[in-house]
Amino acid sequence: MTTHANPSSLLGAGGRTLSALLPTGTTIHAWVKAADAGTPAELHASQEGREIARLTAHNAEEFEFQTLVLDAGGETTLTYDAATTVLSVVYAFSERDVLDKGIHVLFSGEANAAPAIPDSYHFRPPFGWMNDPNGFGRFGDKVHLFYQHYPHSLRWNTMHWGHAVSEDYLRWTHLPIFLFPSEELSARPDGRGGAFSGSAIPLAGEEPGIRVFFTEQVKDRAPEEQIQLTAISRDQITVGPAEIILSERPTDLDLTLDFRDPYVLKAPDGRWKMLLGSRDHAGGVILLYETADPDAAGGWSFVGILHREDRFGMTAAECPCIVPLGPADDPQTRWALVFGLLTSRDPATGRRNITIATVGRFDGRSFDKEFEQELDFGTDAYALQAFVDRDGPVGIAWLANWTDISKKIDFPAAMTLPRRVLLKDGALLTPPVDAVDSLRQQLVDENRLVAGETVELGNGAVEIVLDLGVPGAAFDIEFEHPAVELGLRLDQEGLSILYDMPDGKWLPRYIAMGARPSTLRIFLDKGSIEVFADNGRWTGTKRLPGFEGVRSARLIAPKGNIAAASIWQLKL
């Protein structure tokens, strides 16, 4: 479908027209608002010159959701007057095959259009804002990714849940928006809350079905700003009405209003458990709930504080998740408990909003910590959510950090490469999923980089593979990037992503202290660098400004330090 001015239409000089050939039964979702409070917005739908529907909206503050199902197929035209009517998003889909074919975006405005980033291989939404991954899991034969979403601009606002599916974690099909905020919040574009983060489980007894859990946030609501809700989808596309399952925080724990991000899983004792992030007078806490309900639909009761963290001046613990690193029913299996340290700041490096991975034993009611480590030394892999898939745990994170966010600028975001979660030799590893090998299209170089030459990187979507002569062998890679000074260094201190901006502003040091890897995989894309050393024993992710790729790379190392170096062109 295309959008273009149509001065000759019945709407006069302000007329705009969208048109496409659509099959019978097509569903159209549109968000419409009035240009001013005095005149209603109208979106006219017609076929063969005959009007078949008229969608109207009276709200001049926020977009109103409209839906239309076509009784007959054919060339379909949507017409509106730009003087009275403002569109945000229009997309079309067929319910019978949307899981395979996805939505067809017919229109998005200047304020919310996805940036054109050809050849990029990271997940991005088709329009609007995105942050935390939610409900990440396999349902039926596809992997589903839900995410925090505001469809009407590239800035955070009232939260919805976006939705996409994949068969390999890399090639995604965009689906209709899944969860909507309450009508009260939808009518006010002031960022007071919405459908905040959560998780999903299979619907009991119905293979295709999904039950989701999420936090509803309403700022200044008394006595609770944040409460927990659940809803079910029987078709994996649409969701029924939400029901409150936790209407208040536990009493007598001196908790702040932070009470969010339900992560639900089946524990070794056979019961459904729920983790929630919160905060008390001493720092961040992770709360544990359980239910004997086999459907996890209700009956939730508070068990206790599962884990406490107060390092780096953090406030709330956010987006907790826990996955087994072996058979879940084996008492010897270790579990990885991962969560964000909101507002944390490492005094040694200046890095903010750090994510911690804590490893120990979990029996369903208590967690005995054995060790913990940072999940990502670049810190731009936030709110990781993981689930146990066929070959073990897999996680994905928001490729950003709240320190980069401004209410005054647009912020197109992405998700990290999906990562496996492994335990080896007393450390947690997060290597990329095996499917990333399918991104390799062409071997660009295996001689010039190791010889110290500058190698052009084309569109910048590449993987660089380094094999070191001995563990911890020193090297530097200098990258040419149009907006920042960028590099990668391994020395006696550890492994560092070198990142600086020309404005002279002091920036954190992105370093894995003491790292001594033997191999590295470096993934460059337009807008990001991800480093996986020794199969993800040390992982570093950094968001890069803009959407131009790294132009070239030059390796500097003493003779013998680099045994081999290769560069692969990547493409979905």
Side-chain angles (χ1 to χ4, degrees):
M1 181 175 273
T2 58
T3 177
H4 56 271
N6 184 16
S8 62
S9 74
L10 59 87
L11 297 175
R16 300 288 187 274
T17 299
L18 317 174
S19 60
L21 184 64
L22 300 173
T24 300
T26 294
T27 299
I28 296 174
H29 286 176
W31 281 261
V32 187
K33 74 175 179 180
D36 61 66
T39 306
E42 293 186 343
L43 181 63
H44 304 258
S46 61
Q47 292 177 337
E48 297 182 352
R50 178 179 61 88
E51 183 172 279
I52 59 172
R54 182 179 301 184
L55 308 179
T56 62
H58 299 272
N59 193 332
E61 294 186 5
E62 184 59 297
F63 292 97
E64 295 183 29
F65 173 62
Q66 307 283 342
T67 186
L68 170 66
V69 179
L70 299 182
D71 293 330
E75 187 72 23
T76 303
T77 302
L78 302 177
T79 312
Y80 66 101
D81 186 345
T84 61
T85 301
V86 182
L87 295 188
S88 171
V89 175
V90 182
Y91 58 73
F93 63 95
S94 173
E95 288 192 7
R96 66 178 179 272
D97 60 13
V98 67
L99 285 169
D100 296 315
K101 295 185 177 180
I103 61 173
H104 180 194
V105 178
L106 313 176
F107 176 88
S108 58
E110 292 183 4
N112 61 347
I117 315 174
D119 301 320
S120 176
Y121 54 88
H122 282 78
F123 177 86
R124 290 183 172 87
F127 46 78
W129 163 275
M130 176 183 74
N131 56 288
D132 304 353
N134 300 147
F136 188 44
R138 184 178 294 276
F139 305 101
D141 60 352
K142 297 182 185 293
V143 174
H144 289 244
L145 172 64
F146 303 93
Y147 53 89
Q148 290 286 275
H149 184 42
Y150 182 67
H152 308 309
S153 79
L154 300 181
R155 305 177 193 178
W156 188 94
N157 207 304
T158 306
M159 284 291 100
H160 304 54
W161 275 29
H163 190 194
V165 292
S166 175
E167 295 182 358
D168 64 357
Y169 307 107
L170 297 174
R171 297 160 180 88
W172 294 93
T173 298
H174 296 291
L175 299 183
I177 291 175
F178 188 76
L179 268 180
F180 293 79
S182 67
E183 291 185 8
E184 173 201 355
L185 292 170
S186 295
R188 298 177 56 178
D190 53 9
R192 295 177 62 242
F196 274 27
S197 292
S199 58
I201 61 173
L203 195 59
E206 299 185 42
E207 177 64 25
I210 303 172
R211 177 177 292 280
V212 298
F213 303 85
F214 65 99
T215 297
E216 183 189 65
Q217 155 87 10
V218 179
K219 187 174 177 59
D220 299 327
R221 175 173 58 187
E224 302 289 348
E225 289 189 358
Q226 299 179 353
I227 59 176
Q228 314 314 315
L229 289 83
T230 187
I232 61 174
S233 173
R234 300 189 185 279
D235 60 6
Q236 305 185 22
I237 306 164
T238 57
V239 66
E243 300 178 354
I244 298 172
I245 52 173
L246 291 176
S247 60
E248 61 182 3
R249 294 161 290 162
T251 58
D252 303 324
L253 289 182
D254 192 26
L255 298 178
T256 64
L257 293 176
D258 301 285
F259 180 56
R260 59 180 177 272
D261 310 333
Y263 181 84
V264 175
L265 75 152
K266 183 68 71 70
D269 60 9
R271 290 194 171 193
W272 289 107
K273 310 290 177 172
M274 179 189 298
L275 275 57
L276 286 159
S278 188
R279 175 191 179 192
D280 65 10
H281 65 282
V285 294
I286 296 173
L287 309 175
L288 178 65
Y289 284 75
E290 68 176 7
T291 180
D293 183 349
D295 299 331
W300 290 95
S301 60
F302 179 58
V303 176
I305 293 177
L306 184 70
H307 184 71
R308 176 182 296 280
E309 194 77 42
D310 62 358
R311 65 168 68 192
F312 300 144
M314 66 176 292
T315 51
E318 279 199 316
C319 303
C321 80
I322 189 169
V323 289
L325 305 174
D329 58 356
D330 184 345
Q332 298 305 312
T333 289
R334 271 58 170 182
W335 293 64
L337 174 63
V338 182
F339 54 96
L341 280 57
L342 185 64
T343 71
S344 58
R345 181 183 183 276
D346 176 11
T349 62
R351 294 168 305 138
R352 301 292 302 273
N353 296 307
I354 291 164
T355 298
I356 288 292
T358 303
V359 176
R361 286 187 170 91
F362 175 59
D363 62 6
R365 296 185 65 85
S366 63
F367 180 79
D368 296 321
K369 182 180 75 172
E370 295 183 358
F371 71 89
E372 65 182 12
Q373 66 186 59
E374 288 188 27
L375 186 77
D376 191 291
F377 68 87
T379 69
D380 284 1
Y382 195 72
L384 178 128
Q385 187 165 107
F387 75 102
V388 179
D389 203 3
R390 296 163 177 166
D391 297 323
V394 177
I396 196 169
W398 181 38
L399 207 165
N401 191 294
W402 286 112
T403 57
D404 292 336
I405 308 305
S406 167
K407 294 181 179 180
K408 299 179 181 178
I409 61 172
D410 293 341
F411 191 87
M415 294 295 180
T416 65
L417 285 175
R419 300 162 183 190
R420 301 167 64 202
V421 185
L422 311 170
L423 182 64
K424 183 178 179 181
D425 298 332
L428 193 70
L429 280 58
T430 54
V433 294
D434 294 344
V436 299
D437 292 349
S438 70
L439 297 174
R440 293 180 176 180
Q441 301 296 308
Q442 181 182 357
L443 182 62
V444 175
D445 171 66
E446 57 182 347
N447 297 309
R448 290 175 291 149
L449 188 67
V450 74
E453 298 179 22
T454 296
V455 181
E456 302 296 324
L457 300 182
N459 64 7
V462 301
E463 178 190 357
I464 300 174
V465 182
L466 300 182
D467 293 321
L468 307 188
V470 295
F475 70 84
D476 272 271
I477 301 181
E478 297 177 349
F479 296 115
E480 182 190 358
H481 188 277
V484 297
E485 296 178 16
L486 183 67
L488 187 69
R489 173 176 295 166
L490 181 60
D491 59 18
Q492 291 183 343
E493 282 192 280
L495 178 63
S496 302
I497 296 174
L498 306 176
Y499 178 87
D500 200 2
M501 302 190 73
D503 59 8
K505 180 181 178 181
W506 185 87
L507 292 170
R509 295 182 65 205
Y510 301 103
I511 183 170
M513 293 288 190
R516 292 179 55 80
S518 297
T519 63
L520 296 99
R521 300 178 72 181
I522 305 152
F523 289 84
L524 297 170
D525 197 3
K526 297 174 181 179
S528 65
I529 178 173
E530 291 176 271
V531 180
F532 301 93
D534 278 6
N535 200 35
R537 168 59 184 87
W538 297 280
T539 298
T541 306
K542 187 73 190 78
R543 179 183 177 270
L544 305 177
F547 298 106
E548 293 187 55
V550 173
R551 295 168 180 169
S552 67
R554 185 168 75 99
L555 176 64
I556 305 166
K559 186 176 180 180
N561 279 21
I562 308 298
S566 58
I567 302 176
W568 291 86
Q569 184 73 54
L570 303 183
K571 188 176 182 180
L572 283 173

